[in-house]
Amino acid sequence: MAALKIATKANQASTLPALLVANYTRTCDQNVSLKVTFEDTESLRSGDNAPLELTIGNSVPTVGCEKAIHEFNSAYPFLLGKNENIIREWLARITSFFPTDYKAVEVPMLQLDSHLTLRSHIVGYSLTIADLAIWGAIRGNKIANAAVKKGAMLNVTRWFRYIEDTNPWIAEAIQAINAQAQEHKAAKSKEGGSYDIALLDTEKGIVTRFPPEPSGYLHIGHAKAALLNDYFAHEKYQGTLLCRFDDTNPSKEKEEFQDAIVEDLGLMGIKPDRTSYTSDYFEELYQYCVKMLKEGKAYADDTEQQTMRDERMDGIASRRRDATVEENIAHFEAMKAGSKEGVKWCIRAKISVDNPNKAMRDPVIYRCNPTSHHRTGDKWKIYPTYDFCCPIVDSMEGVTHALRTLEYRDRNPQYEWMLEALNLRKVHIWDFARMNFMRTLLSKRKLTKFVDQGIVWGWDDPRFPTIRGIRRRGMTVEALREFILKQGPSRNVVNLDWTLFWATNKRYIDPVAPRHTAILNENAVTATVKGARVAAYTENKPKHGKNPDIGTKKVAYSPSILIAQVDAQGFSEDEEITLMNWGNAFVRNISYSLNPLKRTVTGLELELHLQGDVKKTKQKITWLSIEGQELIPVELVDFDYLITKDKLEENDNVDDFLTKETEFRSSAMGDCNVAELRADDIIQFERLGYFRVDRSFQHGKPAVLFNIPTGKAGK
């Protein structure tokens, strides 16, 4: 059996292989069957501008529609038939029908219209691959197809419809392969983002890097960058992952943040093959800057910051741009000494004054900062900027592929300029979209402001998008990895909904979270249960009804139980209800407060009916025996988003969109087993939700548990 694999990244290509294969099966006079698989991919290897990749058997993939069709015809030459040379000439025109701009596709359409003036087929007097290829290209192009349907070109429209009407198998072939494509897309969507991004030069393995700045805790955006670099290095290509701390700003960096980043990477299962620090290369970076100054590729500047910003915006050259090499070196040495004069200066790369890409307008590459560095102490008073040191150290450390977020895209030419200016080894760059979440800030500067102003408890606040924060809220590491890796290295920028994130987490915690009971204290109702044993007793029950491996818990029974007010208010007299983990009971009497406005239930009398059918009751409630166990005080905490707007714009003032109340606490009583819970345990209080234990129960202090969202609306 022959095998044919088709990969496309645009609609216009998908019709072509369908027609080729269908025509093959119609005209093949050999006893050969063809197995066809269809794939759509985000990126193909370099080829001509037609987005099609064809693989026949175990051969090397052929990229580009024209090339792929020629490859197909070479494998099955009998398909070309007579007039082979003329057919090849028309096949060479396929890509001219692909542009999605009408003006660009109008010329080849007019040429085709003229050619078809007295013809029913493009070549000869019967259907050929030339008809199939051009017809498929037009059908796959929305602009060209629309022109045909409008009858803008009479001869093309006549020919187009004639091909359809006289060859009904064409529609069947396209329908079949489109169905296969939809199945593939659905499977891919369920599986997650595609990692087939065709990185270049991966034959000998790759080296990626994750370069965090130790000026704060890792948040979920950093986690995506770290996990993607780890995935490509260790799973996709069996390469090397470097972790390099970008410690070039002593004013913001702390060893505390550095240690936290190492720990958080470990928690996510990321183990770099080597850890380094940009500060390890301060001497080399200094020498490279001197080299640029001597070669006239950089200059010293003392322009006031706002003026410099305005000049860069307006494309105005700095008055210091043409200073001599000697002057520039002298100022750099003053910066290095950290003198009173030196702190006024910076070093700028001499790239361009008015480049349309403002990132290329003489960026700053060195600054003077006398602040003591947490690793190098007072040895250095000058520090390189990220844009200067990153490409240099990447090249020095052997990084082959710099995978980074799209926010750096405008600075990619700058990255490449630095390497070329210093004659250093080139590094491939791949951009991917950062993860944005609704009603969430990922700016480290703004998060730091929240911490400093006491809006949150700290960097591990459960309302924070930091790794520590979301883990404290109850996110499992396994769910975190799955969710982020499913996003893949796509370049599509989306504003994700947290409900999808927490829904992933629920799939991990639901099968293993022990079930417990808690009753809210506010207006809790004491109920008397007739038919219960007079003396309290306990029984061992599964902690998880569907997972016996979780173990057992003690459930106490007695004639006196506690029921939540919200449940009691829903009862009517003589109604049959279900007491979970016990059985059915009738509500025989309901007592209410004297206040007619609140209508608070103050007492209940229930009568056991254990032979009742639990499937027939509408209300199935949780309860706690007041006798036979020590009820454990618990504090249940829920949270809201810190900001009220789904997506803050660049000019929005964060203070105008702060949520007034984001923390909600309620007291409750938990069953006796809650006393055994420890910090970080994840449980479910039945009918209340999933919770993570933030502080275990201590006599005199209630246990504190944080509600874990489940992905449902409002939860």
Side-chain angles (χ1 to χ4, degrees), residues 137-174:
I138 293 174
R139 186 186 184 279
N141 186 325
K142 292 181 180 179
I143 301 296
N145 200 18
V148 169
K149 289 182 178 179
K150 291 178 182 178
M153 299 175 187
L154 295 177
N155 295 320
V156 173
T157 300
R158 171 183 52 77
W159 162 81
F160 193 89
R161 291 174 178 170
Y162 173 76
I163 297 298
E164 284 183 324
D165 294 342
T166 57
N167 300 280
W169 59 271
I170 291 179
E172 296 174 6
I174 293 175

Side-chain angles (χ1 to χ4, degrees), residues 15 21 46 62 75 103 140 151 186 243 338 376 428 433-434 438 457 483 505 511 614 630 636 684:
T15 56
V21 173
S46 59
T62 302
K103 290 184 178 180
C243 175
T376 61
H428 295 298
R434 63 179 292 172
M438 295 170 61
W457 308 335
F483 182 84
N505 191 53
V614 298
E630 178 188 3
L636 307 180
Q684 182 189 44

Side-chain angles (χ1 to χ4, degrees), residues 292 341 566:
M292 288 180 65
E341 176 65 18
V566 66

Side-chain angles (χ1 to χ4, degrees), residues 448-660:
T448 301
K449 178 182 176 181
F450 276 27
V451 174
D452 292 343
Q453 292 184 350
I455 296 174
V456 294
W457 308 335
W459 287 94
D460 64 345
D461 190 291
R463 292 162 291 188
F464 248 22
T466 55
I467 302 302
R468 302 239 166 159
I470 58 178
R471 289 194 69 251
R472 193 175 178 191
R473 185 74 191 268
M475 171 61 63
T476 62
V477 172
E478 296 81 5
L480 176 65
R481 285 182 60 90
E482 177 187 320
F483 182 84
I484 292 177
L485 289 174
K486 270 195 172 183
Q487 307 311 309
S490 169
R491 287 170 168 162
N492 297 324
V493 179
V494 294
N495 211 23
L496 297 169
D497 192 328
W498 280 103
T499 57
L500 301 174
F501 185 75
W502 291 110
T504 300
N505 191 53
K506 183 186 175 184
R507 289 193 290 102
Y508 282 89
I509 63 176
D510 180 70
V512 296
R515 273 46 172 170
H516 291 278
T517 301
I519 302 296
L520 297 177
N521 286 334
E522 186 176 7
N523 297 321
V525 181
T526 299
T528 300
V529 183
K530 293 182 179 180
R533 293 187 197 176
V534 176
Y537 65 98
T538 62
E539 291 183 359
N540 287 330
K541 296 284 186 177
K543 288 183 177 180
H544 194 301
K546 297 180 180 179
N547 189 349
D549 293 337
I550 303 301
T552 60
K553 62 182 178 181
K554 291 181 179 179
V555 177
Y557 302 85
S558 75
S560 183
I561 64 174
L562 208 60
I563 293 175
Q565 176 70 211
V566 66
D567 288 330
Q569 286 187 358
F571 297 160
S572 57
E573 289 193 1
D574 295 326
E575 176 186 5
E576 187 172 8
I577 64 171
T578 297
L579 301 172
M580 294 171 63
N581 282 323
W582 197 345
N584 284 6
F586 288 107
V587 180
R588 293 308 187 191
N589 186 52
I590 306 174
S591 301
Y592 294 97
S593 65
L594 297 178
N595 187 339
L597 296 178
K598 288 190 176 181
R599 192 74 173 166
T600 302
V601 177
T602 57
L604 291 167
E605 288 185 7
L606 307 177
E607 181 183 348
L608 281 182
H609 183 230
L610 299 181
Q611 64 270 35
D613 188 349
V614 298
K615 295 181 180 179
K616 294 183 178 180
T617 57
K618 291 184 179 179
Q619 301 210 56
K620 297 170 176 60
I621 67 164
T622 51
W623 54 276
L624 284 174
S625 173
I626 297 174
E627 303 169 9
Q629 66 176 338
E630 178 188 3
L631 295 180
I632 306 301
V634 298
E635 188 173 28
L636 307 180
V637 191
D638 201 0
F639 304 94
D640 197 357
Y641 298 103
L642 289 169
I643 58 177
T644 59
K645 190 176 182 181
D646 283 351
K647 181 182 179 182
L648 289 181
E649 303 301 331
E650 188 174 342
N651 296 325
D652 284 340
N653 182 0
V654 177
D655 294 338
D656 295 337
F657 298 96
L658 291 178
T659 308
K660 292 183 179 179

